[in-house]
Every structure is written in C-alpha cells, then in structure tokens.
Amino acid sequence: MVSRVIPVAPFDLVVFGATGDLAQRKILPALFRRFCAGQIPHGTRIIGAARSAFSLDDYRQNLAQSLKKNLGTTAIEDEKLVQFLQLVSYISLDGNGAAGWRALSAALSDGQEQSGSELRVQVYYFSVGPSLFGPLAERLHSHGLTNAATRIVVEKPFGHDLASARDLNRTLAGHFDEGQIYRIDHYLGKETVQNLMAVRFGNMLFEPLWNSQYVDHIQITVAETVGVLGREDYYERSGAMRDMMQNHLMQLLCLIAMEPPAKFDPDAVRDEKLKVIRALDPVEPYHIVRGQYAPASGAVGRDLNYRETVGNQRSSTESYIALKAHISNWRWAGTPFYLRTGKRLKARSSVINVMFKDAPHSIFGEEAGRHANHLKIRLQPNEGITLSVTIKEPGPGGMRLMDVPLDMSFAEALGPKGSEAADAYERLIMDVVRGNQTLFMRGDEVEAAWGWTDPIIAGLQARGDVPKPYESGSVGPGDADLLLRRDQREWRGINP
Ligand code: NAP
C-alpha cells in the first residue's frame, strides 16, 4: 500500500531544546523522515535553539550523527541527508534570558516575505523543561516573533496539578489563542489510536455493541520495561499517576469511551473527550493499587530497585499504579474500566482489551465452557487489532468450542514487508504545520484530567499510602490481581 503524502507549503520550525534528548531522538528524526517522504518542501527552515554554543557546521555534523544513531532501521541516503541538513540552522539562545533572541528574530524575518501575501506558518516547538514554557511564550511575544500563523507545541508534563496547569494555561493564553496552542501527547499520534476511531465510527459492527449492555469491562495497560534511571528527580516528584495515568491512559480512556462526535473535527472530538473526563467518578481508595519496583531475588543492578535509583529509601512515589474507574453516563454505567501502568514490568506493551459479555444462554451446555468475545487493540509494539471469536474445535468428538483470533497486524496488512509505520511524532508535527488540532489536548481537557487526578493523589497522601514492592520483570504487585479477582475477573497477560 502506498502511503499518501500531502505536501505542505514551506514553513519555519524552531525547536527550542534542540540539543536535548527528545529533540535528538524523536523530533529531528521525525522531520528527516517526513523530508525523505517528500512532505517537507524546499524553502522550509528548521532552526535548532538551545543555550549550548555550536557553529553551524558543528551542529549539522552532530545532527547527522545523531540521526544515523536514532533512525534505527531506516536506511539513510547520503544525498537526502545533505539536502535535509541544508534546511537546518542553529542559534544559541537562552529561554530565560536575553541572549540569542535578536539572532532568532533576524533569522526569521529574513525571507518571511518569500511566501507572498500568505503568512508563512511558524511553529515553535517547546522541547524544554516545563519551567521554560512561560518564559519562551513571553519572549516570543515581546520580540515580535508571533503572528496569526504562529503555532506553539508544548510537551508534557502540562502542569503538576490542577493549579499549575491553570497557571500555565493562563500564561500561554496571555500570548496565544487556544487555536495556536498544541499540547502534545504522542500516544494520540499512534496509528492504532487513530484506527480506534476508524474502527468504532467507520463500521456498523462495533458501535451497537459498544456499551454496558454488551461490554463486561475494559482493560487499558501501558507497561514499560525501562526504569526511571536518568529521570530520577522528575519521576520522584511525579510518579506513575502524574507521569502516565493523568495524560496517556486518560486519553486512551477518552477515545474508547467517548460518544461519536458529529464530525471528525478538532473541537467536536475534544468536546466528546471532555464529557468523558467530566463523567468519571472519583476513585475509591480501595480501587487503587500502587507499587514500586524492587530487584527479583538474586538480581543485582541499581535500576532494578526504585528506591535505590532515586536515592530515597523512604520514597512513597509509585512506579506502578492500577485502578478501577467508573464513568457515570448512560453508555457506561456499571462497566468498570481497569487501568494500569508501570515501569520495569515483564514486557513493553500498550494494549486496550475490550472484554465482551458472555452469550446470555449457551445452547452447547456446561461442558462447552464460557467463551466471550474480546477485542484487543495493540498500540505498541506490533500495532494492530485482534478480535477473538468462538468457533467449534475441529475434528470429531462433539461440539467443543474454542477461541480463535481474527488478527489484523497493521505492519502486515498495510505496508510492504519491512516498511515502518510513521512515527507518532511525524504525524503530529505535520498536523501542527497543517493546523489540525484534533490529536492535541485542549486546555479545558487537561484541566479536567487534573481535576480528576488531584483528589486521588490527595487521598493517597492523606492515608499515608505506601506503594507495595513488586519484582522488576514481573507483572506488578499481587494486590493489582486482587483488584480484579474481587470482581471475578482477571488481567490479560502482559506480553510483548
Ligand atoms: P533534556 O534532554 O534535558 O533537554 C533539554 C533541552 O533544553 C536541551 O536542549 C537544553 O540545552 C535546553 N535548555 C535548557 N535550558 C535552556 C534555556 N534556559 N534556554 C534554552 N534552552 C535550554 O530534556 P528532554 O528529555 O529532551 O525533554 C524536553 C521536554 O520534553 C521536557 O518537558 C520533557 O518533560 C518532555 N518530554 C521528554 C520526553 C523524552 O523522551 N525525552 C518524552 C516526553 C516528554 P542547553 O543545555 O544547551 O541549553
């Protein structure tokens, strides 16, 4: 299948934090891949900005090396790389001070008139720590670097709680319209996440069954194998609830649970997501399990032990959280949503499992066993969707039933062997350039998500809740199993 590339007009993109981990690993490789795909035209300007001093040649050389390192299996054509580097320049700049802003201004004003009467799209990507989001917005404004075609991309974390998210929204709103602010959650750029909407709203098959009458429960799992080494300070202040649950899992929950929007339009989709968050019940303390990874017996290594990694033997920050949520609306009343996420787990796996109810009456008798349909939506790795259906076990021996998967792997179904699906960052950055906010979080959505999260965190703190240890490489603390067992259910496995 040939992917369709819609070219855009030449644009300017300034990456603040261009020497940092995210820019080097994700943002710049994503731009290079879009360039190779023919989507980024000649005349586009990509400007890296950070405090470190680099000559243009040195920055381009470093970037070439980092692209080779970070593009994994993507073959790099030397000619393409040379052409791409021609689009890239670098400015040493302090987001908190005065240095470099005049140079940025000069670089951007030069050539602005090229595009004739149409304003040239200007994207400022804030790939820096959150304390710089406000200062950057203020400086862009005070140096006259904004106009109606300006868009800013703001990375997570968007606030630490409701109050700080509100403050940040207020600061950004002082300089930009909501339509210019792109709060990124890269989970929303994943192929399967968008397919989730296509599957739900493009087929007659699922939507009639998508409610508490037919769905027994839904499980959302985002499991990681990595620990927190390298991000200790940030993680110790946030934990899994703030780092993952409030944003990534919440967004997945919204897409699974929302009503069909009237059209696939940014505000229509985001209005429906917001309604889901607002319909979430507060979570009861006994419906929450927190954990901290610890070494399996005999295993040695600093990053197998959370407390050792963060250097705090009394830490009560969770590296794992599981909870049971309820949505109080007509569609979902009575259907629990079990959400879990953690670090140093058995496998890297992001999966949504929609577990349908048993057939109301089995005509095959007790011995045929219980067989319920189950839709598994794999976000990573191996993006795809599997529907388990019940069939007769082949051969003689009576009517024995078994479940078989109808499996659609996107890599196999949608691309030539070995081709890579576009990375979430590629899709999201090009959406910013095109001015499409559908897959970005609106300010009120983020605030509503914090509004649900804050009381949960406050309740845990008030109870003096201590996370349960779980073995690195396991599926998490045993208490998380009890959370479902109490309801006569069980977690699906965590498999790569
Ligand atoms: P990082 O590796 O620490 O990079 C920070 C960047 O900001 C560097 O380029 C640094 O360069 C620059 N910087 C720091 N202070 C500056 C200042 N005063 N003026 C201008 N530039 C300044 O951080 P990161 O991991 O790339 O993360 C960047 C943002 O993305 C953070 O908000 C993070 O939470 C978010 N994020 C990261 C990831 C990830 O996988 N890394 C994932 C999701 C979200 P100089 O020191 O040269 O100035």
Side-chain angles (χ1 to χ4, degrees):
M1 174 164 297
V2 180
S3 72
R4 205 156 54 94
V5 171
I6 307 169
V8 294
F11 60 93
D12 291 335
L13 192 155
V14 180
V15 183
F16 292 107
T19 54
D21 176 66
L22 184 70
Q24 299 282 320
R25 253 183 341 103
K26 290 290 179 186
I27 302 169
L28 291 156
L31 287 165
F32 178 64
R33 284 185 56 167
R34 285 297 90 204
F35 175 76
C36 292
Q39 200 166 23
I40 297 187
H42 179 73
T44 291
R45 296 180 302 192
I46 297 166
I47 302 175
R51 286 168 310 178
S52 307
F54 280 108
S55 70
L56 178 58
D57 279 352
D58 285 351
Y59 184 73
R60 284 182 177 166
Q61 242 174 44
N62 283 353
L63 177 56
Q65 277 167 13
S66 114
L67 286 174
K68 285 179 182 162
K69 182 173 139 217
N70 289 304
L71 275 162
T73 53
T74 308
I76 296 189
E77 282 176 43
D78 285 344
E79 197 187 326
K80 286 278 184 218
L81 183 58
V82 171
Q83 289 168 358
F84 177 71
L85 292 176
Q86 292 302 316
L87 307 183
V88 179
S89 57
Y90 180 81
I91 289 172
S92 168
L93 170 151
D94 185 358
N96 256 332
W101 286 92
R102 212 172 281 167
L104 181 62
S105 204
L108 287 173
S109 60
D110 183 26
Q112 178 69 45
E113 62 283 355
Q114 274 171 14
S115 327
S117 55
E118 279 270 302
L119 278 174
R120 190 181 164 97
V121 168
Q122 265 180 347
V123 178
Y124 297 110
Y125 200 126
F126 293 4
S127 179
V128 291
S131 63
L132 280 174
F133 296 166
L136 283 177
E138 278 153 22
R139 279 165 182 73
L140 286 170
H141 189 73
S142 63
H143 286 86
L145 293 174
T146 60
N147 60 40
T150 299
R151 286 141 207 188
I152 59 167
V153 184
V154 186
E155 266 297 337
K156 77 164 220 192
F158 197 92
H160 184 74
D161 52 18
L162 178 57
S164 55
R166 270 193 186 140
D167 280 351
L168 186 50
N169 272 336
R170 220 174 288 130
T171 304
L172 297 182
H175 306 294
F176 299 97
D177 292 338
E178 181 61 33
Q180 297 180 293
I181 304 170
Y182 290 70
R183 296 172 193 80
I184 200 164
D185 182 330
H186 71 275
Y187 265 67
L188 293 182
K190 288 181 182 296
E191 188 69 31
T192 320
V193 171
Q194 288 167 77
N195 240 312
L196 186 57
M197 287 188 270
V199 166
R200 276 195 64 191
F201 304 130
N203 295 290
M204 268 307 280
L205 199 59
F206 294 111
E207 200 45 31
L209 306 179
W210 213 259
N211 56 53
S212 59
Q213 201 183 335
Y214 297 101
V215 176
D216 178 71
H217 72 281
I218 291 179
Q219 300 184 11
I220 303 179
T221 299
V222 176
E224 299 180 285
T225 51
V226 292
V228 301
L229 196 61
R231 301 168 69 211
E232 300 91 323
D233 290 346
Y234 159 74
Y235 202 88
E236 178 63 359
R237 276 180 280 115
S238 56
M241 187 72 189
R242 289 189 170 96
D243 186 49
M244 299 293 288
M245 188 68 79
Q246 183 272 346
N247 40 70
H248 300 321
L249 280 90
M250 173 71 81
Q251 288 297 318
L252 298 179
L253 173 71
C254 286
L255 293 175
I256 270 284
M258 72 183 187
E259 295 300 316
K263 49 189 170 177
F264 192 59
D265 146 290
D267 276 328
V269 171
R270 296 183 302 176
D271 284 347
E272 294 306 334
K273 281 162 56 194
L274 181 60
K275 284 183 206 161
V276 173
I277 305 175
R278 291 193 171 149
L280 275 168
D281 287 344
V283 181
E284 303 291 345
Y286 55 92
H287 287 158
I288 305 172
V289 176
R290 297 194 311 143
Q292 253 177 5
Y293 59 83
S297 66
V300 195
R302 183 176 158 221
D303 200 23
L304 298 178
N305 185 332
Y306 178 82
R307 289 185 170 187
E308 212 172 287
T309 310
V310 299
N312 177 5
Q313 288 304 330
R314 296 166 61 86
S315 167
S316 63
T317 302
E318 75 285 348
S319 61
Y320 174 102
I321 187 159
L323 56 81
K324 175 174 161 183
H326 280 285
I327 299 172
S328 279
N329 63 17
W330 269 52
R331 187 186 283 266
W332 293 118
T335 300
F337 288 73
Y338 299 98
L339 278 55
R340 65 177 164 170
T341 180
K343 296 205 170 287
R344 278 264 172 254
L345 294 178
K346 187 181 159 207
R348 173 173 171 264
S349 167
S350 299
V351 181
I352 302 171
N353 283 295
V354 180
M355 312 298 295
F356 289 94
K357 290 186 174 171
D358 290 348
H361 165 69
S362 171
I363 64 168
F364 305 110
E366 284 294 305
E367 61 279 13
R370 292 177 51 178
H371 294 269
N373 297 117
H374 148 220
L375 185 72
K376 178 176 182 179
I377 301 152
R378 302 187 301 272
L379 308 175
Q380 70 184 19
N382 185 19
E383 300 189 10
I385 293 179
T386 308
L387 176 67
S388 82
V389 290
T390 303
I391 60 163
K392 177 190 167 298
E393 217 177 273
M399 186 57 98
R400 287 194 307 267
L401 302 185
M402 64 185 287
D403 296 329
V404 290
L406 296 179
D407 193 353
M408 187 174 86
S409 155
F410 294 159
E412 278 173 27
L414 305 179
K417 277 240 171 315
S419 75
E420 288 170 73
D423 179 83
Y425 278 90
E426 291 176 53
R427 180 171 298 116
L428 293 173
I429 292 171
M430 295 320 292
D431 276 358
V432 178
V433 174
R434 281 190 293 259
N436 184 347
Q437 289 187 304
T438 310
L439 300 175
F440 295 83
M441 292 175 295
R442 212 167 51 191
D444 50 3
E445 245 185 283
V446 177
E447 289 185 14
W450 280 121
W452 179 75
T453 312
D454 275 5
I456 298 177
I457 295 173
L460 290 165
Q461 281 168 352
R463 279 192 299 146
D465 186 83
V466 178
K468 305 276 184 314
Y470 62 93
E471 282 191 0
S472 287
S474 71
V475 294
D479 283 14
D481 293 337
L482 288 180
L483 185 68
L484 270 75
R485 225 174 284 149
R486 279 201 300 255
D487 299 342
Q488 287 81 50
R489 300 186 175 106
E490 57 184 37
W491 290 107
R492 306 292 301 181
I494 297 180
N495 302 309

